[in-house]
Amino acid sequence: MKYKIGLLKGDGIGPEIVDSAVRVLEEIGKKYGHVFEFTPYAIGGYAIDNYGEPLPKETVEGCLASDSVLLGAVGGPKWDNLSGNCRPEKALLGIREKMGLFTNLRPAKLYPALKSDSPLREDIVEKGFDIMIVRELTGGIYFGERGTREGKYGYEAYDTEAYSLMEIERIAKVAFETAKVRRGKLTSIDKANVLETSRLWRKTVHEMAKDYPEVECSDMLVDNAAMQLVRNPSQFDVIVTSNMFGDILSDEASQITGSIGMLPSASLGETKRGLYEPIHGSAPDIAGKNIANPIATILSAAMMLLYSFSLKEESDCIVNAVDKVLYAGWRTADIAHGENPLSTDEMTDKIIEEIQKI
Ligand code: NAD
């Protein structure tokens, strides 16, 4: 099969880590007989410097014409003083919107080989955890009516949250389907004791649960969820939640793994075409030094194979290769604690060697 992949390398370490993922995908292509055709498009600070805007029209058109898109990261100190609409980060919201991506999948998995990097207590990490957070991405308070006005106590600012039944149903469907192919457990997180949107969210999820008898579905209030994530993360399999709650909880979940250079993400819409990216930023402090951890981006490519191209065996091959490399003790600087770290290229070589052996 032939797949067209749009590459948004972006800024900072973006080009280095995307190049690593491309090398891994090429190896997978060789091994399993697929052709991956890569086309780079400008985004972020690089696009501002070369095209005068963070998300050029050609980039949007190119991404929409691709079968899927892999993104590095955008932003950096060079562009920090630009105003809102001209900032590199503006391109992220823009491309998600143009591609109609309403779901954000963020796995937070504790790698047994990296247990000691987690900030959690030893008896908690001992049990391990592997959580998939399904976050609604294009609705809720981040997209609601907002403004400033004269209120009861004088000048005030306001933001509003609205969720339609359709928006809740489509994200809940993704979550139930995801739970079905994982460990069959779904926790829906809301604030139904206070928010009307949460009450509709909860009612809708309960209705849909009847169609998924194989999934054990429960609710949790967001304040409790924030606590449970650090108290006993192993209780979670799939979490589904709104845009803002998902934003906060997915960052919390990533931090308890102890290694943000390891965590991938996928943003999906109605079609198979998705946007896959590491959860970390452009790490300007280490850009161009060939020391960044490429694993989050390589695992993002593995998610692309699974969710966009339905290539499960190929995706598993990458995940297993990463597991094996970590078990063998190979580390980049961010997870090496000073002991002979591998460069970005060397870590990529190790993963490719494992892929060849599997
Ligand atoms: P960051 O994630 O870029 O970096 C935080 C720390 O983690 C740094 O010390 C960095 O060196 C380290 N780090 C991150 N990824 C790493 C990797 N793969 N390997 C090794 N170490 C890694 O967050 P930040 O410093 O807050 O932001 C830097 C820039 O990135 C800012 O301009 C920010 O706006 C942007 N940003 C972009 C995205 C995105 O493109 N999706 C996301 C977050 C931040």
Side-chain angles (χ1 to χ4, degrees):
M1 287 290 288
K2 189 169 168 182
Y3 301 95
K4 284 200 292 187
I5 299 177
L7 297 180
L8 303 176
K9 297 186 182 185
D11 309 313
I13 59 170
E16 300 163 59
I17 54 180
V18 169
D19 286 347
S20 289
V22 165
R23 285 181 54 211
V24 167
L25 283 171
E26 277 171 344
E27 195 58 37
I28 290 287
K30 250 191 266 166
K31 189 177 171 88
Y32 291 92
H34 305 298
V35 175
F36 298 112
E37 197 181 280
F38 300 101
T39 313
Y41 299 103
I43 194 166
Y46 175 85
I48 294 172
D49 290 351
N50 291 279
Y51 299 86
E53 53 183 327
L55 185 63
K57 195 164 130 259
E58 297 73 29
T59 297
V60 175
E61 286 168 358
C63 290
L64 292 176
S66 304
D67 294 318
S68 214
V69 179
L70 184 65
L71 168 74
V74 299
K78 182 174 176 196
W79 305 281
D80 272 352
N81 294 324
L82 296 175
S83 69
N85 271 352
C86 307
R87 287 177 67 92
E89 293 81 358
K90 189 75 189 163
L92 294 176
L93 285 182
I95 193 68
R96 286 176 191 149
E97 190 194 331
K98 298 281 187 206
M99 289 176 70
L101 307 171
F102 61 85
T103 302
N104 188 223
L105 293 183
R106 266 177 61 166
K109 174 174 154 181
L110 182 75
Y111 285 83
L114 300 178
K115 271 182 185 168
S116 59
D117 287 326
S118 171
L120 296 185
R121 249 185 11 232
E122 214 178 307
D123 60 310
I124 299 174
V125 287
E126 209 37 59
K127 288 189 247 166
F129 57 87
D130 178 1
I131 306 168
M132 179 66 85
I133 299 190
V134 180
R135 167 189 169 196
E136 202 288 326
L137 202 57
T138 51
I141 197 163
Y142 291 178
F143 291 86
E145 196 196 319
R146 72 194 57 187
T148 52
R149 62 190 172 197
E150 279 306 314
K152 195 171 155 195
Y153 302 107
Y155 187 66
E156 67 179 20
Y158 65 96
D159 298 276
T160 54
E161 168 150 302
Y163 263 116
S164 67
L165 189 58
M166 181 280 287
E167 289 173 300
I168 302 170
E169 280 174 349
R170 70 178 181 183
I171 191 73
K173 183 168 186 283
V174 175
F176 277 109
E177 295 291 337
T178 307
K180 232 166 78 173
V181 295
R182 285 175 49 102
R183 301 190 301 281
K185 196 171 171 211
L186 177 63
T187 311
S188 173
I189 291 173
D190 61 37
K191 189 71 183 164
N193 53 346
V194 178
L195 301 176
E196 201 57 42
T197 42
S198 280
R199 285 192 272 273
L200 180 63
W201 183 284
R202 191 175 278 213
K203 186 165 166 261
T204 309
V205 170
H206 286 190
E207 276 302 312
M208 292 178 69
K210 293 176 191 157
D211 297 332
Y212 293 91
E214 65 277 59
V215 175
E216 182 196 331
C217 179
S218 59
D219 311 298
M220 193 177 278
L221 293 174
V222 63
D223 37 353
N224 186 25
M227 188 175 76
Q228 294 297 334
L229 267 175
V230 288
R231 214 187 124 255
N232 179 17
S234 67
Q235 70 185 287
F236 296 107
D237 175 15
V238 177
I239 284 175
V240 63
T241 192
S242 64
N243 201 343
M244 184 165 71
F245 294 162
D247 189 6
I248 299 165
L249 293 178
S250 59
D251 263 20
E252 185 187 358
S254 63
Q255 287 306 312
I256 59 173
T257 67
S259 41
I260 64 164
M262 307 279 303
L263 298 176
S265 77
S267 300
L268 307 168
E270 298 288 359
T271 69
K272 284 263 183 185
R273 187 181 48 236
L275 178 70
Y276 298 83
E277 57 182 303
I279 69 147
H280 58 72
S282 60
D285 50 334
I286 57 166
K289 296 184 178 163
N290 192 23
I291 57 170
N293 187 343
I295 292 180
T297 317
I298 290 172
L299 291 174
S300 300
M303 287 186 88
M304 176 190 286
L305 296 182
L306 182 62
Y307 291 101
S308 283
F309 306 151
S310 303
L311 299 174
K312 181 159 182 359
E313 193 183 337
E314 291 83 338
S315 174
D316 286 348
C317 178
I318 297 180
V319 175
N320 291 338
V322 168
D323 278 347
K324 289 202 165 127
V325 167
L326 293 174
Y327 262 117
W330 300 110
R331 304 279 187 269
T332 41
D334 53 321
I335 46 176
H337 309 295
E339 295 157 19
N340 300 323
L342 296 183
S343 67
T344 309
D345 289 341
E346 287 165 341
M347 176 55 96
T348 311
D349 292 341
K350 290 283 172 210
I351 294 168
I352 288 173
E353 275 167 33
E354 283 301 335
I355 289 174
Q356 287 163 346
K357 283 190 224 156
I358 288 171

